[in-house]
Amino acid sequence: MAWILITGCLLSVWVISLCKVLLLAHMCKRNSFKKNGKALRKRNVLIVIAHPDDESMFFTPTINYLISRGHYIYILCLSIGDADNRGRIRKRELFQACATLKVPMQQVKVVDHPDLQDGFGKVWNHKLVANLVKEEIGKYNIDMIITFDNYGVSGHCNHRDVYYGVCELLYDIPHREIEAWELVSTNILRKYIGPIDVWLSVFVAMLHSNETIQFLVNEHPCRSFLAMAQHSSQWVWFRKCFVAMSSYTYMNTLRKIK
């Protein structure tokens, strides 16, 4: 009987939290990424990821939010995800997922470099990462970069190397008018409580200025499932559970890289 009561309470909190996420998405009219209290012009935003499916598993709240407000999204994926010899398939799946997320195919690039191979223990050259990102910045006049933080959400070494590569780039061009934001990694409890994390995320965002922390809710959570489902080679039961249970499906907290 006690277990039924506990399960019922948790389910109720889950539903209420999901309603909170959807309410914030539809009622919150403020523009994020302001400077000196003023909304900025439309941005050319480069999202730098390590593997095909990172965009769907971790960054969909950010992608949905920015596209709905007219910003231009470019995605740079630094490997084809060939750890299981499915790189060619995964590359194709990435383009399909990006189409679901309404990112045009010509604004998506997948790198297949011998020194940037998918896998734990595969160390990536930070200078090489920096140079590849720099090419995209010049090609598309990028003025904002969004990527992983130094833990990389899951702790994957490739995610972390992407972060350090972006940091090396920023160190080389400190005076350029470009912003960089990192996706904040949370502890394992917050990571797997789904929409319930909205309460703590909102509180954390309230403690910081809008120029250092951005809290973005997913305006179309179902799009996360549809996008991830395009990665059919990866769409196994535990990833289905991850997308349902992960707080990154429902919200993203971005922190400015200084």
Side-chain angles (χ1 to χ4, degrees):
M1 188 66 181
W3 285 108
I4 295 176
L5 182 61
I6 293 172
T7 302
C9 290
L10 289 175
L11 182 60
S12 298
V13 173
W14 180 284
V15 172
I16 292 170
S17 300
L18 179 58
C19 291
K20 174 71 171 178
V21 169
L22 297 176
L23 190 64
L24 284 174
H26 289 89
M27 295 188 64
C28 185
K29 300 299 182 182
R30 70 180 179 88
N31 287 312
S32 295
F33 302 105
K34 290 183 177 181
K35 190 171 185 178
N36 299 325
K38 296 181 180 180
L40 295 170
R41 60 181 172 79
K42 304 302 182 185
R43 314 295 294 270
N44 293 323
V45 183
L46 179 65
I47 298 179
V48 187
I49 59 177
H51 315 110
D53 75 18
D54 288 345
E55 81 299 329
S56 299
M57 293 181 71
F58 308 120
F59 290 94
T60 51
T62 297
I63 294 171
N64 287 336
Y65 179 92
L66 292 174
I67 287 180
S68 69
R69 282 152 181 79
H71 300 285
Y72 303 100
I73 301 295
Y74 298 84
I75 294 178
L76 174 62
C77 182
L78 291 171
S79 81
I80 60 173
D82 201 35
D84 297 324
N85 298 316
R86 296 180 179 179
R88 191 174 300 177
I89 295 172
R90 295 190 66 185
K91 179 178 179 179
R92 183 175 67 249
E93 292 170 346
L94 174 61
F95 287 107
Q96 295 170 348
C98 287
T100 300
L101 294 171
K102 302 188 182 302
V103 179
M105 181 178 296
Q106 64 271 22
Q107 293 171 204
V108 181
K109 180 177 179 178
V110 185
V111 175
D112 185 10
H113 192 284
D115 293 331
L116 299 176
Q117 295 300 306
D118 174 23
F120 286 99
K122 301 284 187 179
V123 178
W124 289 5
N125 185 292
H126 300 162
K127 187 66 176 179
L128 174 59
V129 171
N131 288 337
L132 290 169
V133 175
K134 187 176 182 179
E135 287 179 13
E136 296 301 293
I137 290 173
K139 186 176 181 181
Y140 296 109
N141 195 28
I142 299 297
D143 51 19
M144 181 187 292
I145 299 172
I146 298 174
T147 191
F148 294 103
D149 66 4
N150 63 358
Y151 183 71
V153 181
S154 64
H156 198 297
C157 57
N158 298 161
H159 297 179
R160 301 171 72 173
D161 285 334
V162 170
Y163 166 80
Y164 289 117
V166 169
C167 288
E168 180 155 336
L169 170 68
L170 297 174
Y171 180 79
D172 289 340
I173 51 171
H175 302 297
R176 185 182 177 90
E177 287 296 321
I178 187 168
E179 290 183 11
W181 297 79
E182 59 187 12
L183 179 62
V184 176
S185 298
T186 60
N187 61 51
I188 193 167
L189 176 61
R190 290 184 59 191
K191 184 178 177 180
Y192 290 110
I193 58 174
I196 298 175
D197 188 54
V198 67
W199 308 100
L200 185 55
S201 293
V202 168
F203 176 72
V204 170
M206 289 173 59
L207 297 178
H208 298 83
S209 74
N210 203 37
E211 294 183 22
T212 58
I213 290 286
Q214 298 289 338
F215 171 64
L216 309 177
V217 293
N218 195 345
E219 300 177 341
H220 307 285
C222 62
R223 199 173 289 169
S224 296
F225 291 86
L226 294 174
M228 189 59 203
Q230 301 305 311
H231 296 278
S232 56
S233 67
Q234 308 299 303
W235 198 225
V236 292
W237 70 268
F238 57 87
R239 288 197 178 92
K240 293 177 183 179
C241 291
F242 177 88
V243 176
M245 301 292 291
S246 171
S247 59
Y248 291 92
T249 296
Y250 305 96
M251 68 212 75
N252 283 163
T253 299
L254 303 178
R255 180 171 52 223
K256 194 170 186 178
I257 301 175
K258 298 181 181 180

